Amino acid sequence: MKMASPLDEKAAPSPLPTERHKSFGRGVRNMDVVWRDKINAYLRAHRYELVRSLRTLLSAPFSSVITILVIAIAIFLPIALVIIVNNIQLLGGNWDGRPKMTVYLQLDASENAILTAKQTVLALPGVESVNYIPADQALEEFKRHSGFVDILYELDENPLPAVLVVVPDKIGLSNDGSKVLLRQIETLAIVDSVQYDLGWVHRLNSFMALANRFIVVVTLLFSVGAILVVGNTVRLGIENRRREIIVGKLVGATHSFVRRPFLYLGVWYGLGGGLVAWLMAELGLFALSGPMVELAALYQANFQLQGFGLINSALMLVCSGLLGWLGAWLTVAHHLDEIEPL
Amino acid sequence: MSSVHFDQVYKRYENGHEAMRHVTFQVNRGEFVFITGHSGAGKSTLLKLIMLMERPTRGQIFVDGKNLKSIGSRAMPYFRRSIGVVFQDHQLIPDRTVFDNIALPLIISGYPDKDIGRRVRAALDKVGLLKKENYYPIALSGGEQQRVGIARAVINKPTLLLADEPTGNLDPELSNEIMELFMRFNRAGVTVLIASHDRSLVQALNYRTLQLEHGSLIEEEVVA
Ligand SMILES: Nc1ncnc2c1ncn2[C@@H]1O[C@H](COP(=O)(O)OP(=O)(O)OP(=O)(O)O)[C@@H](O)[C@H]1O
Ligand SMILES: [Mg+2]
């Protein structure tokens, strides 16, 4: 056994890192150097745990995959609901959330009379704006938006009347205001008929509100589920690594050092779950998009399933990571302090 | 100046056992001191009190002039980094290699990788385990595990070294070598406190000895 003198290493002790300066420091040093050391040591510690935690994850691929799949399912369901509701909303057509009143004018109304009527309507209480669509334009739009192009080309006369599209304001949308407005417009001589399906709008509105609330509840529930799954897995991890935790504390590991690998583990689980959920959603959309296009084509309509979008996907992944972190943090806060060397 | 100072230290464990009864002593900086006594005399307890694994029920302990009472749980990790400890039960992490076990204090302190490699190998060289850096503790003999523990204890260049039965699993030849190693550290200025019930070893080495019996300091032999 070689017996070198213990402390006579040639190289001078390397610039001592970090925390040691705090209370057991070895004299004053240039503040900049101290800070650079601290930041370097901090980054190093994180890089170290990043690699280690990934390796831990990969060292037990089977249980990691199961945990990640469970989390993925918990995250997938809310995502799927959001996508479905979004697409229903889109399918609702050009509907921008506010009902409009479609006022069909007499076929023989003169341009002048129509413009006067437009001003009259605009002055009514409950009206925000009025848009005049001449008969020609109405025909064009009808051709563009409906599936009846072929039939219309065979007609030589425009069967459509000119239309005033009335956008109601709050008063015009209220139950009483809408009735009054409707009556006032209907009594104008130039008006042939008015279409204002407030009931349908209300039904759709309340359905959407319900759906959104449902999504919120489901998201909350499943987030709690994901947090619990991560928490439980991390708890098992803490049990398995008891020895490591105790030894670390014995040789001077701080709380954050002991905590860090588990927090990283939680983040990986969350991110992994989020990623798999996202893949599931995209695959699902891909599988549905073919049949959907065919279905739309049957109505000569042009409808495309909307996915989650780039920003929402990124946001979803960040949230998944945070969920994992939170699950790990809660467990760690609860269990790690109990493990003290004896 | 004293490195370790016990002032009327009394320790009663939760189960009522009195493990330390009004123990008072001082160990100066740079001293080499043995702590002896029968099994259950309180040797490990004494060392645990110094490194804050246990707190005294009454009395005060000073390390490098600092009252340990003033060290709370936030400052404790940094305090422990300034002390090297060889544990009676080794305290190695089973699923990490010899290298990683020894590197742990350096990783905790945030040393750069290249320094870690250099210093761990230097420490392994000193305890004669250079060829086994990739072994797991379970594949080592008791004595080899002991030496891994010693290498880890000195890796951070502590000014105070505590060793609890560091030669417990070693044959006489190896334990002499280990003692030689501690003496070299001591000559380099490190204060060394060794708990041991190996009377022959302690007597052969002629150092100051604190003898415990049922938690009381019964005898202070200062030889030579
Ligand atoms: N955590 C504990 N709780 C209760 N009693 C304890 C605890 N730790 C130690 N003791 C008791 O305190 C006494 C001293 O224990 P200690 O471990 O200090 O002895 P020791 O001198 O190191 O013995 P050995 O030579 O066998 O290691 C023993 O009687 C033991 O039973
Ligand atoms: Mg003991």
Side-chain angles (χ1 to χ4, degrees):
Chain A
M1 181 165 158
K2 192 181 159 230
M3 279 295 182
S5 174
L7 292 178
D8 66 357
E9 277 169 47
K10 293 286 178 315
S14 59
L16 238 162
T18 71
E19 303 148 318
R20 186 146 184 176
H21 302 281
K22 258 188 195 158
S23 30
F24 309 95
R26 297 172 162 174
V28 187
R29 293 211 302 163
N30 184 321
M31 283 310 279
D32 286 350
V33 177
V34 172
W35 272 106
R36 217 184 37 231
D37 277 359
K38 279 194 181 190
I39 291 167
N40 280 340
Y42 183 78
L43 292 179
R44 207 155 36 229
H46 275 275
R47 191 166 37 101
Y48 171 77
E49 281 311 338
L50 200 119
V51 174
R52 258 194 75 78
S53 56
L54 262 183
R55 220 180 279 155
T56 309
L57 210 69
L58 296 178
S59 70
F62 188 68
S63 66
S64 302
V65 163
I66 288 187
T67 305
I68 286 174
L69 277 183
V70 173
I71 296 165
I73 291 166
I75 295 174
F76 172 73
L77 209 81
I79 295 180
L81 280 176
V82 168
I83 291 177
I84 289 170
V85 169
N86 274 349
N87 280 296
I88 289 176
Q89 214 150 9
L90 280 172
L91 207 55
N94 307 325
W95 188 69
D96 66 0
R98 190 153 27 156
K100 289 175 191 118
M101 194 181 284
T102 311
V103 180
Y104 298 98
L105 303 177
Q106 304 283 0
L107 273 173
D108 57 357
S110 75
E111 186 78 9
N112 262 346
I114 291 172
L115 288 176
T116 316
K118 186 187 169 190
Q119 290 311 314
T120 316
V121 172
L122 193 58
L124 292 172
V127 176
E128 189 180 282
S129 66
V130 180
N131 188 18
Y132 166 42
I133 300 172
D136 301 348
Q137 196 186 325
L139 183 64
E140 278 308 309
E141 284 197 12
F142 189 66
K143 279 179 184 168
R144 222 177 313 126
H145 284 295
S146 74
F148 301 109
V149 186
D150 313 335
I151 302 169
L152 281 169
Y153 277 125
E154 285 162 16
L155 298 169
D156 15 289
E157 240 178 82
N158 185 355
L160 297 176
V163 168
L164 291 179
V165 178
V166 178
V167 179
D169 61 15
K170 269 217 180 68
I171 302 170
L173 276 173
S174 67
N175 278 343
D176 297 338
S178 59
K179 275 182 211 143
V180 174
L181 184 60
L182 191 60
R183 209 178 315 119
Q184 279 172 325
I185 293 177
E186 270 171 345
T187 49
L188 293 174
I190 198 173
V191 171
D192 178 50
S193 66
V194 181
Q195 189 191 315
Y196 193 21
D197 193 352
L198 214 51
W200 181 81
V201 163
H202 281 334
R203 278 195 299 278
L204 192 59
N205 263 338
S206 49
F207 169 74
M208 284 302 167
L210 194 71
N212 281 330
R213 185 153 310 175
F214 184 65
I215 286 175
V216 169
V217 170
V218 166
T219 305
L220 281 180
L221 272 178
F222 279 73
S223 299
V224 170
I227 288 173
L228 290 178
V229 170
V230 172
N232 196 47
T233 311
V234 167
R235 191 180 55 77
L236 290 176
I238 290 175
E239 278 312 311
N240 286 338
R241 294 163 73 180
R242 240 189 136 74
R243 191 84 249 144
E244 181 181 328
I245 294 165
I246 288 176
V247 173
K249 285 186 173 185
L250 282 176
V251 299
T254 53
H255 280 291
S256 42
F257 184 90
V258 176
R259 211 177 278 159
R260 208 170 286 137
F262 300 105
L263 296 184
Y264 265 106
L265 212 57
V267 171
W268 290 132
Y269 283 136
L271 274 182
L275 199 66
V276 173
W278 180 82
L279 280 175
M280 282 157 74
E282 288 296 313
L283 271 176
L285 282 170
F286 179 73
L288 285 179
S289 68
M292 207 61 202
V293 168
E294 273 171 37
L295 193 68
L298 286 181
Y299 292 90
Q300 293 196 349
N302 190 13
F303 177 72
Q304 272 215 305
L305 274 176
Q306 293 295 306
F308 217 44
L310 199 67
I311 293 175
N312 279 338
S313 300
L315 209 67
M316 188 273 289
L317 277 182
V318 170
C319 287
S320 311
L322 280 178
L323 275 186
W325 178 86
L326 186 65
W329 190 87
L330 289 172
T331 311
V332 158
H334 191 241
H335 288 283
L336 228 45
D337 288 345
E338 288 171 7
I339 301 178
E340 276 295 335
L342 278 178
Chain B
M1 192 183 177
S2 69
S3 174
V4 178
H5 178 191
F6 271 49
D7 180 19
Q8 292 290 321
V9 173
Y10 175 80
K11 170 69 182 176
R12 185 170 48 212
Y13 280 112
E14 260 127 65
N15 64 3
H17 185 90
E18 295 177 319
M20 200 107 299
R21 304 175 204 229
H22 309 290
V23 170
T24 300
F25 68 90
Q26 283 199 27
V27 173
N28 290 325
R29 276 199 189 153
E31 252 195 299
F32 192 115
V33 174
F34 280 114
I35 299 156
T36 60
H38 60 89
S39 179
K43 305 182 292 294
S44 297
T45 303
L46 191 148
L47 296 182
K48 284 177 181 174
L49 286 166
I50 297 176
M51 64 163 305
L52 289 177
M53 279 170 79
E54 296 289 349
R55 299 268 186 181
T57 314
R58 279 201 296 278
Q60 319 209 62
I61 300 170
F62 301 84
V63 173
D64 272 337
K66 197 170 178 63
N67 191 336
L68 295 194
K69 258 190 198 136
S70 69
I71 298 177
S73 62
R74 290 195 133 262
M76 186 151 71
Y78 306 103
F79 171 73
R80 282 183 178 163
R81 286 177 206 178
S82 66
I83 302 178
V85 184
V86 181
F87 298 93
Q88 190 166 7
D89 48 359
H90 316 319
Q91 299 281 13
L92 301 178
I93 303 173
D95 57 355
R96 293 209 197 175
T97 61
V98 165
F99 183 99
D100 289 341
N101 265 286
I102 297 175
L104 187 64
L106 299 179
I107 291 167
I108 285 173
S109 299
Y111 280 82
D113 289 347
K114 59 173 177 11
D115 290 3
I116 291 179
R118 188 172 52 75
R119 292 180 67 162
V120 169
R121 294 209 172 86
L124 276 169
D125 192 22
K126 275 175 223 156
V127 297
L129 287 175
L130 209 45
K131 292 205 184 80
K132 305 212 163 163
E133 66 167 63
N134 288 322
Y135 281 48
Y136 286 90
I138 198 128
L140 299 180
S141 72
E144 285 169 332
Q145 292 184 31
Q146 194 83 281
R147 286 184 276 157
V148 173
I150 293 169
R152 186 186 58 195
V154 299
I155 196 81
N156 235 345
K157 303 191 175 175
T159 51
L160 173 61
L161 184 62
L162 312 177
D164 199 347
E165 305 288 359
T167 57
N169 289 305
L170 306 181
D171 57 53
E173 196 188 338
L174 203 50
S175 59
N176 282 340
E177 285 185 1
I178 292 295
M179 279 302 159
E180 180 67 23
L181 189 58
F182 285 132
M183 282 148 70
R184 281 172 193 272
F185 277 107
N186 179 243
R187 258 174 255 138
V190 179
T191 312
V192 179
L193 246 72
I194 298 177
S196 174
H197 53 222
D198 187 346
R199 286 209 141 263
S200 60
L201 183 92
V202 171
Q203 274 158 4
L205 283 173
N206 264 3
Y207 279 112
R208 180 182 165 201
T209 302
L210 302 175
Q211 192 170 351
L212 286 170
E213 203 175 293
H214 300 296
S216 300
L217 199 58
I218 57 155
E219 190 183 348
E220 267 220 41
E221 305 168 35
V222 186
V223 198

